[in-house]
Amino acid sequence: MRNEALIGYLLHQRPYQEKRALYYLFSQQHGVIHGIGKKGAPLFMPLQLFATGKHDLKTFSQINIAPLSSIQGSVTQDSLAPEDSQADLAEALHHESISGQHQYAALYLNEILWRLLPTEDPMPVLWQHYQNSLYQLKQPLTADELRLCLRQFETYLFNELGFALTLEHDSLDQPIESNAMYRFLPDVGLVAMVYNDDNDNDNDNVIAQTVFKGSEVLVMVEQGISAVTLNIWSRLHRQLIDHLLDYQPLQSRLLWQQQQRYQS
């Protein structure tokens, strides 16, 4: 590409020389692009810039907050009430900031994207869901609403990466039974297991962390991601995220945990 105009959001940055930074940009046009540009680009704000380069590492220039007109043409109404307008959403994305605990959630979205997405692979649908998620994180949310926002976005990400979750049947294509127990293996699916009563304490701990009751799975299928099923989906999604990351820790998760300990 040569001096191509891009619209996108900064996912991650690292220092590069004295006055420049290495940027990971989630662009509307080409997915994640790596580039070097002048330091100081903000997170969670729509950016407009120009990219030049034939190789994986581009040169970014003229990095600025995207004009309001360019954002108005790229929003959807999926997460908005009917009375809200595209102009309202564009205005929020353009001017409002993410504050408080919502910043940790936004950092989490950024981290899983820049660590999991391939470079220069256009994902316009996922890009739109990311933009809508940032809009939600700029609004007042309860703790459960915040978690719902994250779980819903993770679903879009899994689908994009080819890990759509099928919960109607187990790994042997047998219907889920409400009184059975299942272990979730990311590359296999739900595997029926035999519950051993010989070591109750150990089994209770395993069940709490990695095993799902058939009745839980059936409720997940029936209700999807909702306030009732949120905790179950969170356990399942965490297993899949950890698998995709090869069980390497997430810095955003560690920051969140430190903040929670500090407040307690």
Side-chain angles (χ1 to χ4, degrees), residues 33-233:
I33 295 182
H34 300 170
I36 296 171
K38 185 178 179 180
K39 284 183 178 178
L43 291 170
F44 317 132
M45 297 293 289
L47 302 176
Q48 183 179 66
L49 54 85
F50 291 88
T52 299
K54 296 181 180 180
H55 303 292
D56 291 342
L57 191 61
K58 315 299 182 189
T59 297
F60 293 159
S61 61
Q62 301 182 49
I63 305 174
N64 294 293
I65 304 297
L68 190 59
S69 58
S70 68
I71 303 303
Q72 288 174 329
S74 68
V75 298
T76 65
Q77 299 296 102
D78 293 345
S79 61
L80 302 181
E83 64 270 18
D84 290 316
S85 66
Q86 288 193 353
D88 293 334
L89 174 52
E91 189 75 19
L93 289 167
H94 198 262
H95 293 298
E96 295 179 17
S97 60
I98 298 177
S99 59
Q101 295 184 351
H102 294 191
Q103 288 183 328
Y104 296 97
L107 287 171
Y108 169 76
L109 294 185
N110 279 10
E111 187 172 5
I112 59 176
L113 286 176
W114 74 262
R115 290 181 60 176
L116 293 178
L117 292 186
T119 57
E120 298 191 43
D121 186 358
M123 297 183 179
V125 174
L126 184 64
W127 188 89
Q128 188 63 71
H129 288 307
Y130 173 77
Q131 181 167 259
N132 288 349
S133 296
L134 289 186
Y135 170 78
Q136 291 182 56
L137 293 175
K138 293 183 178 186
Q139 313 306 311
L141 298 175
T142 66
D144 279 353
E145 288 171 341
L146 178 62
R147 295 171 64 206
L148 282 168
C149 173
L150 299 182
R151 300 296 86 80
Q152 288 163 351
F153 181 78
E154 288 165 351
T155 299
Y156 301 131
L157 175 61
F158 296 152
N159 290 339
E160 196 72 50
L161 295 174
F163 278 86
L165 295 170
T166 302
L167 304 179
E168 290 85 356
H169 298 83
D170 66 13
S171 59
L172 299 178
D173 205 29
Q174 297 299 309
I176 298 298
E177 298 182 7
S178 62
N179 59 348
M181 305 296 292
Y182 297 89
R183 187 182 299 279
F184 176 72
L185 301 179
D187 289 329
V188 178
L190 292 167
V191 179
M193 59 180 293
V194 176
Y195 180 62
N196 186 348
D197 292 326
D198 293 340
N199 195 332
D200 290 338
N201 291 333
D202 289 346
N203 282 329
D204 287 346
N205 184 60
V206 167
I207 290 171
Q209 299 300 321
T210 65
V211 176
F212 299 84
K213 300 175 182 177
S215 56
E216 292 179 323
V217 176
L218 293 174
V219 173
M220 294 166 73
V221 171
E222 178 184 352
Q223 296 199 13
I225 301 176
S226 68
V228 173
T229 59
L230 181 56
N231 289 336
I232 316 172
W233 281 104

Side-chain angles (χ1 to χ4, degrees), residues 16-33:
Y16 185 87
Q17 300 177 342
E18 183 178 355
K19 296 183 179 180
R20 298 198 293 174
L22 173 60
Y23 289 129
Y24 297 72
L25 181 82
F26 190 22
S27 71
Q28 183 181 20
Q29 295 88 347
H30 299 289
V32 175
I33 295 182

